[in-house]
Amino acid sequence: MPFLMQLRDVKEAGRLAPFSAQVRPGEMVHLVGPNGAGKSTLLMRMAGLTTGPGDVILNERKMDQWSAQELARHRAYLSQHQGLSDKLGRQVNHISGGEWQRVRLAAVILQIHPLVNPAGQLLVLDEPMNSLDVAQQAALDRVLGELCESGVAVVMSSHDLNHTLRHAHQSWLICRGQAIACGETSAVLTEENLTAAYAIPFQRIAVAGHFMLVASQ
């Protein structure tokens, strides 16, 4: 299967060491690692919102060759921090953080959903589970799974390692701007790799027929 996106030595001074990886159509990719690892920096480059050394290639075209309007037809991006200017006139008890997050998610999903936009190919999400309760997270997982089945690639950051272990086809483990491991999730989220990233010991144990990661002191 041809690659939808290729990253070639993408870097950001002081934030991200040269990073190379690929994303296939319909693939679920999770970026994991401690706070400040460089995940948001990398996601913004993948979304075409920043420029710098290295190449980000979508559909065999470098990002700087796409117009903003054309790119918006093929990829959607959810930032980690939501804007506040449209909410300043509202009372704080009128809408919760989880409700705002659901509104933001609905907007970016509709932007590239195949029933609305047949050209949609890539959904980039920076910590999309923020402020969502367990039921809302499960609903989002179902929608993202359906998007992947339709051929849309989903690339997202996550702090829930067990969620990544269950749902991600591919994982990129980053720490202090350096890639510790990239590839199939079960091969990336090993005790050794996670201990190197988080500086605490991990165990992978079997629970009800599934593996679960546990941090130990």
Side-chain angles (χ1 to χ4, degrees):
M1 180 182 296
F3 296 122
L4 171 64
M5 174 170 279
Q6 295 172 281
L7 309 177
R8 297 176 180 170
D9 293 324
V10 173
K11 64 180 181 178
E12 183 76 28
R15 298 288 298 170
L16 186 68
F19 181 89
S20 299
Q22 301 83 31
V23 180
R24 294 177 176 84
E27 194 167 39
M28 174 72 73
V29 180
H30 280 203
L31 275 66
V32 295
N35 288 331
K39 301 185 295 295
S40 295
T41 298
L42 181 56
L43 289 173
M44 289 184 69
R45 285 291 299 276
M46 294 179 70
L49 298 180
T50 59
T51 60
D55 294 322
V56 179
I57 301 169
L58 176 65
N59 288 339
E60 302 184 351
R61 290 171 56 192
K62 293 183 180 180
M63 275 296 187
D64 58 11
Q65 297 174 348
W66 292 81
S67 69
Q69 294 81 3
E70 188 179 20
L71 185 59
R73 294 184 61 244
H74 292 268
R75 73 94 184 91
Y77 168 71
L78 179 84
S79 64
Q80 181 178 349
H81 303 290
Q82 59 188 1
L84 297 175
S85 59
D86 60 336
K87 307 174 186 62
L88 295 178
R90 296 173 178 262
Q91 296 183 24
V92 295
N93 61 348
H94 280 188
I95 192 164
S96 69
E99 288 170 329
W100 275 120
Q101 185 74 338
R102 290 164 65 192
V103 170
R104 297 172 70 234
L105 283 163
V108 294
I109 289 170
L110 285 173
Q111 182 182 334
I112 50 83
H113 197 286
L115 294 180
V116 178
N117 174 19
Q121 295 178 290
L122 176 65
L123 181 59
V124 181
L125 305 171
D126 198 351
E127 297 193 23
M129 298 296 181
N130 276 355
S131 302
L132 301 184
D133 64 30
V134 174
Q136 292 164 354
Q137 290 180 13
L140 178 58
D141 281 332
R142 288 193 295 272
V143 172
L144 296 182
E146 291 168 359
L147 284 174
C148 288
E149 289 177 2
S150 73
V152 174
V154 177
V155 181
M156 59 179 275
S157 59
S158 173
H159 282 294
D160 186 338
L161 297 174
N162 285 302
H163 179 265
T164 294
L165 193 62
R166 291 192 303 273
H167 294 281
H169 303 131
Q170 184 180 171
S171 294
W172 302 344
L173 178 59
I174 304 173
C175 180
R176 297 178 183 174
Q178 298 276 351
I180 291 179
C182 298
E184 184 179 348
T185 295
S186 61
V188 169
L189 299 189
T190 65
E191 294 95 326
E192 181 180 5
N193 289 340
L194 293 172
T195 297
Y198 293 92
I200 58 175
F202 279 82
Q203 289 182 303
R204 187 157 64 169
I205 60 177
V207 178
H210 299 279
F211 282 111
M212 184 174 182
L213 294 163
V214 179
S216 57
Q217 298 293 336

